Amino acid sequence: MLEFPRWKYVVIVLVLLLSTLYAMPNIYPQDPSLQISNGSQPVPADMQGKVSAALKAANITPKSIETDASGKVLVRMKTADDQTRANDVVRPLLGEGQSVALNLVSTVPQWLRNIWAKPMPLGLDLQGGVHFLMQVDQKAALEKRMEGTAERIRTALQTEKIPYGSVERLADSSVAVVLDPSADVGKAQTLITNTLASGLALGTNNPYTVVQQGSTLMVRVNEAALQAVSADAVDQNRNVIADRINSLGVAEPVLQRQGTDRLVVELPGLQDMAEAKRQIGATATLEFRAVTGDMTAAAEAERSGVVPPGSKLYRMENGAPILLSKRVLVSGDELLDAQVTPDPKSGMPSVSVTLTGAAGKRMFNHTVNNVNKQLATVYIDRIPVTTKDANGNEVQSSRTQERVIAAPNIAEPFGERFNTTGLTNEQATDLAKQLKSGALAAPMDFVEQGVIGPSLGRENVERGVKAVLYSFTFALVFFLVYYRMFGLITCLALLLQMVMIVAVMSIFGATMSLPGFAGLALSVGMSVDANVLINERIREELRAGVPPKAAIAVGYDRASGTIFDSNMTALLAGIALLAFGTGPLKGFAMTMIIGIMTSLFSAVTVSRALATLIYGKRKKLKSIAI
C-alpha cells in the first residue's frame, strides 16, 4: 500500500522553509570596505567626519560610512578599485594605535541577521586574501628560557649571599655556575635545586639536575623539558598572533599549527600584505640592561676584541660602542602596557611603559642601588632577508638587529612605570602598538607568503558555481528524459538537497572552498545514484507484474537499505578525512558529509513523499511514467 504519514509531510515542509530561509543570505553580495579600528578602544568620534571629507576631496563616493557598536568605522565602497583608492586616502588620517584593514562586509538584511542567518564563509581561494607560513625560532626560545634560568640562579645566590664568580648560559642549553672558592658548594647546590623546583606542579619531577664539577655547578635540563619549551613557544606565539589578527578586524581568519614549529595564517578578504605582515609578524621588542663600563672601556673592548666577563658589546644609534650586562633586567614580555607620550623633559616622542609587578620590583631593586649610573634600553628587531641559492631560488631568512636607543643616567629609583626615550615618532608608535598586542615568546620568520586577488577569487567562485550547475543540469536532463515523472520527482528532491546543503553550511559556519565545490559535485552524483537505484527497483517490480502502487512502495523499501549502506561507507571515509586531514581536505570532507546526510533525506524521504502525493490517491492506477 502506498502511504506516507502526514507528520512527515509537515517535517518536509518545515525543513524546506528553514533551509530556504537560512540559505537566503548567500544571494546577497559582499561590499568591499575599509574597517578603521583603534585596538580595543573606540575610534575617535570625529574620525567618521574626517574620512568623509577626505574621500569627497579625492572624488571618491562611498556607499556608506558608519560606526559600529564596537566603535569601529566601516566605510563601504562600490567597487574594489574604489576600495584601493580610498585606502590610500584614509591611511594618512590615522593616529596613534589606529589601523585600517581592507575587508569584505556582508549586505545581508537586518531581519535575517536577527534570526542568526548568515552567508557561508568563503575560503581564501574563493574570496581572495593573504596567506602566510611562519616558522618559530625554537632555538631562540630555548636560549631565552635558559637565560631566565640563569637569572633565577643569580637572584637566589645574591639573596642567600653565597659568593659566586659568574652564572653563564652555555651553547648546549645548560648553565655553568662558577662559585667563589670561599662558597659552600653543598649549600649552593641545594639552594639552586630548590629554587628551580619551586613553582612546579605538585607531583611533577624537577627537570633540572645540578652536578658539581670542582667549584663549578653545571645545571642541565632534561630533553622532555626542552621539547616542552619549544612547544610552549609555538602555542604562546599562536595566541599572540590570534590577538593581532583580531585587532585587524578580519572575518573568518585561519590560524593553524603545521608540524612542530610552523603556523599557517590565512586572512580572507585582506589584500594589503605589507600592512598584514607589519601587524602580524612584528617582532620588535625592548630589553633593559645595565651599562657595565664607560666609553673608554667600550672602545678598548672593540679595539682589542676582548670583552669583560659578564658583558656584551653593543652599539649606540650614533655607532659608538657601549658595554652592557649580559643579564637582561626586564624583557618585552614583562610589559603590561605601552603608550606613546611626549617626554616631559625633552618633548621628544617616548613610550610610557608599565611593567608587571615582579618586573617592576626587579627594576626598583636595581635602580635604587644604581642611582647616577647608566641604564640602557635595547631595541631589538628581526629584519627579513631574501637571498638566492646556487640554483637562483629565493631563500627567506632573517637577521636580528640590536641597537641601544638610550642609555641615560638613573636620576632616581623607579619601578613599574617609566618612560623610554630616544625613539622617532614612527618608531614610538609602532613599538607601543607591538608591545600592547603582546610580545612573541620566540622570534618568527615568514617562510612563505602569497596574495590571492579578489578578481581571482571571484573567478574561482564563478567557475566553481558553473561546474556544479552543469553537473546538476546534466543530471536533471537525464532524469527527465529517462525516468519522466519520476525524473521530475528526482529533480525536485535534488533541488531541495542543494538548498539544504547551503543552509546547513551557513548555519554551522562551514567554510566553502574550491575543494568544497568538488565535494558538492560529488554529493550531487551520490544523490543521483540513490535515485537511480530507487527508480530501477520500481521498474523491476513493474516488469514482474506488481501493481503500480505496490511497485512504488516495494521499490522504495528495498532500495532504502542499499542506499543507506552505501552512504554509510562513504560517510565513514568523509569522517576520517575530516578528522585527520588538514586545509583543503577538511573543506572537501565537510561538504561531502553534509551532502551525504542531506542526500539520504532527499532521496529516501522527500522523493517518496512526492511520489505518494502524486500517485497515492489514484484508485484505478494502471501505469506510471517511469
Side-chain angles (χ1 to χ4, degrees):
M1 197 64 183
L2 186 59
E3 293 180 342
F4 196 78
R6 289 187 179 180
W7 67 268
K8 288 189 177 180
Y9 280 112
V10 175
V11 171
I12 292 173
V13 171
L14 284 176
V15 169
L16 176 61
L17 291 176
L18 290 175
S19 297
T20 304
L21 198 60
Y22 282 92
M24 278 183 67
N26 295 283
I27 65 176
Y28 293 95
Q30 293 177 310
D31 284 336
S33 63
L34 304 180
Q35 185 167 288
I36 303 169
S37 57
N38 186 27
S40 59
Q41 301 297 320
V43 173
D46 61 344
M47 177 58 76
Q48 187 169 329
K50 289 182 181 178
V51 171
S52 178
L55 293 178
K56 187 176 180 180
N59 291 323
I60 301 172
T61 305
K63 196 172 178 180
S64 69
I65 303 178
E66 58 196 72
T67 302
D68 64 16
S70 61
K72 296 176 181 175
V73 175
L74 192 63
V75 187
R76 294 175 183 264
M77 309 304 297
K78 296 176 181 176
T79 65
D81 291 338
D82 285 350
Q83 182 192 35
T84 305
R85 292 173 56 208
N87 180 47
D88 296 336
V89 172
V90 169
R91 195 170 291 278
L93 303 177
L94 302 180
E96 175 204 338
Q98 298 170 358
S99 62
V100 59
L102 282 68
N103 218 332
L104 296 173
V105 178
S106 171
T107 58
V108 175
Q110 189 61 44
W111 68 272
L112 279 173
R113 296 185 207 177
N114 291 340
I115 58 172
W116 300 287
K118 55 188 179 182
M120 275 187 300
L122 299 180
L124 197 69
D125 48 1
L126 300 183
Q127 189 177 185
V130 297
H131 162 90
F132 297 125
L133 180 61
M134 305 175 74
Q135 185 166 14
V136 179
D137 189 344
Q138 293 180 312
K139 183 181 176 184
L142 291 175
E143 290 175 352
K144 189 173 181 180
R145 175 61 64 90
M146 295 312 296
E147 186 59 44
T149 301
E151 177 58 25
R152 291 176 66 188
I153 295 173
R154 290 189 197 102
T155 303
L157 293 174
Q158 290 168 2
T159 303
E160 296 298 324
K161 298 181 179 178
I162 297 178
Y164 67 93
S166 65
V167 179
E168 298 292 340
R169 172 182 56 81
L170 303 182
D172 62 349
S173 299
S174 62
V175 176
V177 183
V178 180
L179 297 172
D180 189 86
S182 63
D184 184 339
V185 178
K187 182 179 178 183
Q189 187 173 10
T190 304
L191 174 67
I192 294 172
T193 302
N194 293 338
T195 299
L196 298 179
S198 64
L200 295 174
L202 190 63
T204 305
N205 293 326
N206 189 351
Y208 295 95
T209 55
V210 184
V211 180
Q212 180 182 355
Q213 294 180 359
S215 61
T216 301
L217 295 176
M218 297 300 299
V219 181
R220 293 189 172 87
V221 61
N222 62 35
E223 187 61 28
L226 292 176
Q227 291 178 359
V229 170
S230 300
D232 288 346
V234 177
D235 289 338
Q236 288 179 39
N237 280 10
R238 186 181 186 279
N239 293 334
V240 172
I241 289 177
D243 290 339
R244 292 179 178 181
I245 291 174
N246 289 336
S247 70
L248 288 174
V250 178
E252 302 300 333
V254 174
L255 176 58
Q256 295 176 331
R257 184 168 176 166
Q258 185 181 80
T260 57
D261 61 348
R262 293 187 172 190
L263 294 174
V264 176
V265 180
E266 293 183 353
L267 307 175
L270 203 66
Q271 299 299 317
D272 192 343
M273 173 175 277
E275 177 65 13
K277 284 182 68 174
R278 203 168 71 89
Q279 294 287 338
I280 295 172
T283 55
T285 187
L286 291 179
E287 285 181 355
F288 298 91
R289 296 172 183 259
V291 179
T292 56
D294 57 15
M295 301 301 289
T296 305
E300 176 60 23
E302 185 182 43
R303 187 193 63 76
S304 64
V306 179
V307 179
S311 298
K312 187 177 177 181
L313 192 62
Y314 284 82
R315 285 191 177 279
M316 301 283 291
E317 291 277 69
N318 59 8
I322 183 170
L323 286 171
L324 304 184
S325 171
K326 284 186 177 180
R327 175 193 175 192
V328 179
L329 194 58
V330 174
S331 59
D333 55 356
E334 295 174 296
L335 304 180
L336 285 180
D337 193 18
Q339 297 286 341
V340 176
T341 179
D343 181 37
K345 297 180 180 176
S346 64
M348 298 296 290
S350 68
V351 177
S352 174
V353 176
T354 303
L355 301 177
T356 61
K361 183 179 179 183
R362 202 159 58 244
M363 180 65 85
F364 179 80
N365 290 338
H366 175 81
T367 55
V368 77
N369 296 318
N370 293 276
V371 175
N372 294 326
K373 293 183 179 178
Q374 285 181 287
L375 178 67
T377 306
V378 184
Y379 184 93
I380 304 172
D381 201 0
R382 200 170 175 89
I383 311 297
V385 176
T386 302
T387 57
K388 290 190 176 182
D389 60 16
N391 298 322
N393 299 320
E394 288 191 351
V395 178
Q396 300 287 340
S397 59
S398 65
R399 62 181 174 84
T400 300
Q401 184 185 66
E402 296 180 327
R403 65 180 191 277
V404 179
I405 58 175
N409 287 336
I410 301 171
E412 57 185 14
F414 57 86
E416 296 180 6
R417 294 177 185 273
F418 57 93
N419 281 7
T420 295
T421 58
L423 298 163
T424 65
N425 193 36
E426 184 180 359
Q427 286 175 334
T429 302
D430 289 346
L431 184 60
K433 192 183 300 183
Q434 292 161 21
L435 292 176
K436 278 194 292 187
S437 63
L440 296 174
M444 300 190 72
D445 296 320
F446 288 92
V447 295
E448 186 179 302
Q449 58 191 30
V451 177
I452 297 178
S455 57
L456 180 58
R458 190 162 52 246
E459 184 180 341
N460 288 338
V461 173
E462 292 170 355
R463 289 191 176 190
V465 170
K466 187 182 292 183
V468 172
L469 286 180
Y470 272 113
S471 68
F472 193 71
T473 304
F474 290 153
L476 296 187
V477 171
F478 168 77
F479 271 94
L480 285 173
V481 172
Y482 197 68
Y483 293 112
R484 295 182 287 175
M485 179 55 75
F486 274 81
L488 179 62
I489 292 172
T490 301
C491 293
L492 293 174
L494 283 176
L495 282 172
L496 176 58
Q497 185 200 357
M498 294 293 287
V499 176
M500 282 194 297
I501 291 175
V502 174
V504 171
M505 292 190 69
S506 302
I507 291 171
F508 289 103
T511 302
M512 174 59 80
S513 59
L514 276 180
F517 274 111
L520 198 59
L522 179 63
S523 301
V524 172
M526 295 180 68
S527 188
V528 167
D529 284 345
N531 283 278
V532 168
L533 274 174
I534 293 170
N535 294 339
E536 289 301 322
R537 290 297 301 178
I538 295 174
R539 278 183 170 180
E540 287 177 7
E541 297 301 324
L542 290 173
R543 291 192 198 104
V546 177
K549 286 188 179 180
I552 295 172
V554 173
Y556 274 102
D557 288 341
R558 292 184 175 175
S560 297
T562 307
I563 294 170
F564 184 81
D565 292 342
S566 63
N567 278 273
M568 282 304 103
T569 54
L571 184 63
L572 290 175
I575 292 173
L577 281 177
L578 186 65
F580 302 108
T582 58
L585 275 181
K586 278 185 177 288
F588 174 81
M590 176 60 75
T591 312
M592 189 176 80
I593 290 172
I594 295 173
I596 290 171
M597 302 298 288
T598 53
S599 169
L600 283 172
F601 179 73
S602 64
V604 177
T605 304
V606 176
S607 65
R608 181 167 186 162
L610 291 172
T612 306
L613 192 66
I614 295 171
Y615 295 109
K617 298 297 182 183
R618 296 187 184 182
K619 295 182 180 179
K620 296 180 180 180
L621 183 63
K622 295 182 178 179
S623 64
I624 54 177
I626 187 169

